[in-house]
Amino acid sequence: MYSTDRALQIISIQHELVMNIGLDLKLEKMLNTFMQRALQRLSLSSVVLMDFNQCELTETPKTHSDGNLYCYPQLSSDYKRKLVEDAKSFYYQGEVAYSCISKQSCHYYFLKVPQFGVLILERYATEIDEVILAALEPLLIKLSASCKACQEHQNLIKEIEARKFAEELLIEQSMLDPLTNLANRKKFNLDLLKTLSSSFTTKNIGAIFILDLDRFKVINNTLGHAVGDDVIKIVGKRLQECMRPGDTLARIGGDEFVLLVVELSVDYSIAIEKAKKIAKKLAALIASPINIDGNIFSISASTGINMFPVEADSVLSARQQVDVIVQNAEKAMNAVKQANRNGYSFYNKQLQSSSERKTQIEKYLKTAIQNDEFEVYYQPLVAVDGKVLGAEALLRWSNQSLGRVGPDEFIPIAEESGLILDIGSWVLEQVCQILSSVGSNDALKYISVNVSPRQFIHHNFVDSLLSALNRYCINSRQVRVEVTEGVVIDNIDLTIQKMKYLKDKGVVTMLDDFGSGYSSLSYLHQLPLQTIKIDRSFITDIDQTSKNHVIVDSIIDICEHFSLECIVEGVENSDEFAYLATKNITAYQGYYFHRPMPKYDFITLLEH
Ligand code: C2E
Ligand code: MG
Ligand code: MG
């Protein structure tokens, strides 16, 4: 019989041990608490828990945390190997709840932790009381449940972590530009949004730099898209050199990059000076020669810079501000493009008002045809003897609110907005009308019409031109089409196809403003062209001493070589004409001969 004290002592051990099971959801931590307490309360020399579900029994686990063998205190490898073997033979003995092996003065107790493993208690000298062993039995059920709960919890955490990692990877990938591995527009907008929010509190001024590579299409069209891709990758790598921690570099379009630079300074003028330095560094990085498979070439970029935060924008939501900051940097970048490219420009109020004017122009252009605000002027083209050969149709616009607006200003807006399609058809109609009213006239071989890129690539362009000629019974030789190099570069295959079709139908295509834009020679031989108009910038002040004469003479030689007609535009004085008159030029155009004139003045000129 046991005394009451003994019974209370057993209950207290049982209670204390049970209270220490399942105190933590981390298996090792939970076992640490429980097993340390068992070690103490049961006067053990070691306690080991072996997880049979996961323990590779043929292998010897190395430490208590490695291999699902949990030992307190640490045991030697040989010792553990022996224990594993003994535990294994005990585990497969069937229904036995516990067994004891005594070696010299050491007693080992193997207790089954149901559906989990084996708990091994080691005690020197005295044996553990059978009653205590029996009292441990319900504990083992709880221990098993707790161990399994911990494992499930850990597996769940692992699963959640793996899922989270996969999701993060997916998000990261959706934020990356696959070609350069830089951020994409989405990621850039997010980073700008974050920076913007913090810059309101820190008052630190940041900047964005939008860079668009100049004439990148020439590389794509002449060297192929694979080389184009390589160039983009090289530029992306180089631009990374300008990044500091916290900055973001993104590719936001075919050849468009944007750099977000954070925390330049709290002082506006210092921030501007720093931004200028960065812009110069970016330009220098891009400018160093690129070598791809032995092709060495140089490239440049137009950069628009916008500083933030802007006080005036604080009425807008943060997201709206992000859009405005980017749009304004783009405006600054476009201003650089228009002003001869390769440089940088800050967004400023002037650009703001020019964009407001653009909006006004677009608004009034929409109703210009129905309000009868357009008029076509004609500028004669003359032979070397001054006789009129043909004319160029040049559009004029006069609006009540805006006054006279030049085509250099409104045509790009019409092009951008798509209004050029209707305007172009209207111009063509006017040209057909005048041609049909002057009839076949020896003095007027043709009138040329400027066709903008958007008009030219429109699928219906050639057919609507031919049908207009048909309606007015006009010979296809009487209307010529002027396209700029921009059309060719943007869509080389389509341009060739359309030019061929026009040629087959008897319509001559002229390449306008030749030499002003792209490296023209690279594609010239591919085009079914009949005429080239040399850009007027080469004609200004031309004489034997000017540098331009070398360019003009070479273009004339090329025209001879390819059997192309050569026309010069912008002849303004007798000196320029004197130089050009000795050259193999088919027609001359310029203020020296005639300015663009209204329809009736032109008809009168033809009649005399
Ligand atoms: P463009 O096709 O190169 O037209 C020649 C421009 O040079 C005309 O400017 C003409 O007035 C000007 N010009 C001619 N001779 C001289 C000269 O001796 N000195 C100077 N300084 N300028 C001269 P304009 O009429 O202002 O037209 C500008 C541009 O607008 C045109 O350049 C053309 O690209 C575009 N454009 C004009 N009308 C139309 C049109 O109906 N449709 C399209 N798509 N574009 C048009
Ligand atoms: Mg023209
Ligand atoms: Mg021209």
Side-chain angles (χ1 to χ4, degrees):
M1 272 306 271
Y2 277 83
S3 67
T4 314
D5 280 358
R6 182 76 178 127
L8 282 174
Q9 189 199 3
I10 291 168
I11 289 169
S12 120
I13 290 175
Q14 199 182 32
H15 181 71
E16 195 176 334
L17 292 183
V18 90
M19 290 302 285
N20 280 289
I21 293 175
L23 281 185
D24 203 287
L25 272 171
K26 277 198 178 130
L27 186 61
E28 256 180 66
K29 226 169 145 193
M30 190 271 285
L31 288 175
N32 184 33
T33 318
F34 166 72
M35 288 161 83
Q36 300 279 13
R37 193 47 58 101
L39 207 69
Q40 208 179 31
R41 289 308 307 263
L42 300 174
S43 311
L44 304 173
S45 44
S46 80
V47 54
V48 174
L49 179 72
M50 200 176 291
D51 173 359
F52 265 50
N53 292 320
Q54 295 182 44
C55 189
E56 190 49 70
L57 292 178
T58 51
E59 251 178 48
T60 311
K62 288 172 200 114
T63 67
H64 72 278
S65 60
D66 192 4
N68 309 304
L69 193 68
Y70 305 89
C71 315
Y72 296 90
Q74 278 293 344
L75 304 172
S76 74
S77 302
D78 283 349
Y79 192 84
K80 279 194 276 192
R81 190 180 299 118
K82 184 81 191 74
L83 271 189
V84 168
E85 277 163 19
D86 290 343
K88 195 176 161 191
S89 59
F90 161 72
Y91 191 73
Y92 294 112
Q93 264 174 30
E95 288 305 299
V96 190
Y98 68 88
S99 96
C100 172
I101 302 173
S102 293
K103 289 177 187 161
Q104 288 137 10
S105 56
C106 219
H107 312 285
Y108 299 91
Y109 299 89
F110 298 87
L111 292 87
K112 269 201 186 126
V113 182
Q115 290 149 26
F116 185 82
V118 177
L119 186 71
I120 308 156
L121 313 178
E122 180 195 35
R123 197 201 250 189
Y124 278 116
T126 55
E127 288 186 33
I128 302 176
D129 193 327
E130 286 234 351
V131 184
I132 292 182
L133 287 174
L136 291 180
E137 217 173 301
L139 251 74
L140 300 176
I141 297 169
K142 175 141 197 235
L143 183 65
S144 161
S146 288
C147 288
K148 279 196 269 181
C150 284
Q151 280 176 342
E152 268 168 34
H153 177 74
Q154 268 162 14
N155 288 343
L156 204 68
I157 284 177
K158 272 188 209 148
E159 199 184 315
I160 290 169
E161 277 171 359
R163 215 178 284 169
K164 214 169 134 209
F165 178 71
E167 274 168 14
E168 277 169 5
L169 206 69
L170 217 66
I171 291 171
E172 208 171 277
Q173 277 164 355
S174 78
M175 300 267 187
L176 277 187
D177 165 49
L179 182 65
T180 56
N181 260 341
L182 298 175
N184 62 15
R185 189 184 280 273
K186 199 164 142 190
K187 165 97 170 95
F188 171 79
N189 282 346
L190 262 172
D191 287 358
L192 179 54
L193 191 70
K194 275 189 229 156
T195 312
L196 197 61
S197 319
S198 64
S199 66
F200 281 121
T201 23
T202 60
K203 301 275 176 252
N204 235 315
I205 297 160
I208 67 164
F209 300 72
I210 292 193
L211 300 103
D212 191 285
L213 302 185
D214 298 328
R215 296 175 188 136
F216 178 69
K217 277 176 187 143
V218 179
I219 295 176
N220 257 350
N221 286 340
T222 54
L223 301 172
H225 286 262
V227 174
D229 282 356
D230 286 346
V231 171
I232 293 287
K233 282 194 244 176
I234 290 170
V235 171
K237 269 220 176 81
R238 288 183 181 180
L239 294 181
Q240 279 174 313
E241 286 180 36
C242 269
M243 286 172 76
R244 298 165 315 163
D247 295 350
T248 301
L249 176 66
R251 178 171 167 245
I252 54 169
D255 59 347
E256 205 169 312
F257 295 87
V258 59
L259 175 67
L260 162 66
V261 179
V262 299
E263 301 185 354
L264 282 168
S265 169
V266 285
D267 181 299
Y268 195 75
S269 43
I270 296 177
I272 291 271
E273 283 313 309
K274 284 190 179 170
K276 278 184 194 167
K277 271 192 192 152
I278 295 172
K280 282 179 191 152
K281 189 173 173 195
L282 289 169
L285 286 169
I286 292 179
S288 70
I290 291 176
N291 183 344
I292 294 175
D293 301 334
N295 280 312
I296 299 172
F297 43 87
S298 298
I299 195 161
S300 64
S302 302
T303 306
I305 310 166
N306 196 9
M307 314 296 286
F308 62 85
V310 183
E311 290 292 329
D313 286 346
S314 50
V315 286
L316 302 173
S317 74
R319 265 176 202 281
Q320 285 170 325
Q321 285 184 52
V322 163
D323 290 344
V324 170
I325 290 169
V326 175
Q327 279 161 14
N328 289 344
E330 244 152 22
K331 278 177 200 157
M333 186 269 287
N334 283 327
V336 179
K337 284 259 175 231
Q338 273 159 23
N340 262 336
R341 309 181 173 90
N342 189 14
Y344 66 85
S345 161
F346 284 86
Y347 174 75
N348 56 31
K349 283 275 172 288
Q350 213 178 325
L351 278 172
Q352 171 67 25
S353 63
S354 92
S355 96
E356 276 159 15
R357 180 166 164 84
K358 225 174 124 183
T359 314
Q360 288 273 305
I361 289 177
E362 189 178 333
K363 180 180 140 197
Y364 289 118
L365 266 182
K366 284 183 185 149
T367 50
I369 294 179
Q370 74 197 55
N371 292 343
D372 212 13
E373 293 170 2
F374 286 132
E375 189 180 354
V376 176
Y377 273 39
Y378 297 90
Q379 185 178 29
L381 275 79
V382 300
V384 69
D385 60 5
K387 272 197 193 149
V388 175
L389 281 175
E392 176 173 10
L394 293 161
L395 188 56
R396 297 290 175 261
W397 180 35
S398 183
N399 173 271
Q400 261 200 338
S401 310
L402 300 172
R404 280 189 160 269
V405 184
D408 277 333
E409 189 175 13
F410 74 79
I411 293 287
I413 298 171
E415 167 78 3
E416 214 175 284
S417 60
L419 293 165
I420 195 69
L421 297 177
D422 287 343
I423 296 172
S425 306
W426 184 87
V427 171
L428 187 62
E429 201 75 18
Q430 304 305 307
V431 169
C432 288
Q433 273 173 22
I434 189 177
L435 280 170
S436 83
S437 71
V438 297
S440 98
N441 189 321
D442 274 353
L444 182 68
K445 291 199 172 71
Y446 60 84
I447 294 179
S448 63
V449 183
N450 290 289
V451 176
S452 76
R454 195 144 172 182
Q455 240 181 310
F456 191 77
I457 59 161
H458 192 270
H459 63 93
N460 207 21
F461 169 69
V462 180
D463 288 341
S464 64
L465 170 68
L466 296 176
S467 95
L469 296 180
N470 229 351
R471 257 187 290 125
Y472 287 91
C473 301
I474 292 165
N475 186 309
S476 53
R477 295 251 145 231
Q478 288 181 275
V479 171
R480 290 188 171 193
V481 166
E482 290 194 16
V483 292
T484 52
E485 294 173 79
V487 171
V488 182
I489 283 300
D490 283 348
N491 312 277
I492 190 133
D493 295 334
L494 189 69
T495 310
I496 292 174
Q497 193 191 325
K498 289 214 173 184
M499 280 185 178
K500 269 194 185 138
Y501 188 38
L502 283 168
K503 194 177 180 186
D504 289 349
K505 297 291 174 186
V507 180
V508 170
T509 312
M510 320 215 276
L511 197 53
D512 202 1
D513 306 339
F514 186 78
S516 64
Y518 301 86
S519 56
S520 323
L521 298 179
S522 49
Y523 56 76
L524 199 58
H525 67 282
Q526 300 180 47
L527 300 173
L529 269 179
Q530 284 119 306
T531 308
I532 274 176
K533 286 180 90 171
I534 301 177
D535 190 64
R536 72 168 188 260
S537 60
F538 300 117
I539 306 304
T540 309
D541 297 332
I542 192 165
D543 64 18
Q544 206 61 54
T545 59
S546 73
K547 280 184 187 158
N548 278 344
H549 95 264
V550 181
I551 298 171
V552 171
D553 288 357
S554 318
I555 298 176
I556 294 169
D557 281 351
I558 290 164
C559 286
E560 273 172 26
H561 179 81
F562 287 111
S563 307
L564 299 169
E565 279 185 10
C566 182
I567 295 176
V568 284
E569 52 184 3
V571 185
E572 288 186 340
N573 55 51
S574 55
D575 290 343
E576 289 167 3
F577 179 58
Y579 179 81
L580 296 162
T582 60
K583 307 285 172 186
N584 192 358
I585 288 168
T586 321
Y588 302 80
Q589 182 182 355
Y591 295 168
Y592 179 59
F593 307 101
H594 302 279
R595 283 184 177 258
M597 58 188 85
K599 177 178 164 182
Y600 290 106
D601 292 356
F602 179 56
I603 292 176
T604 310
L605 176 81
L606 289 178
E607 285 165 355
H608 289 90

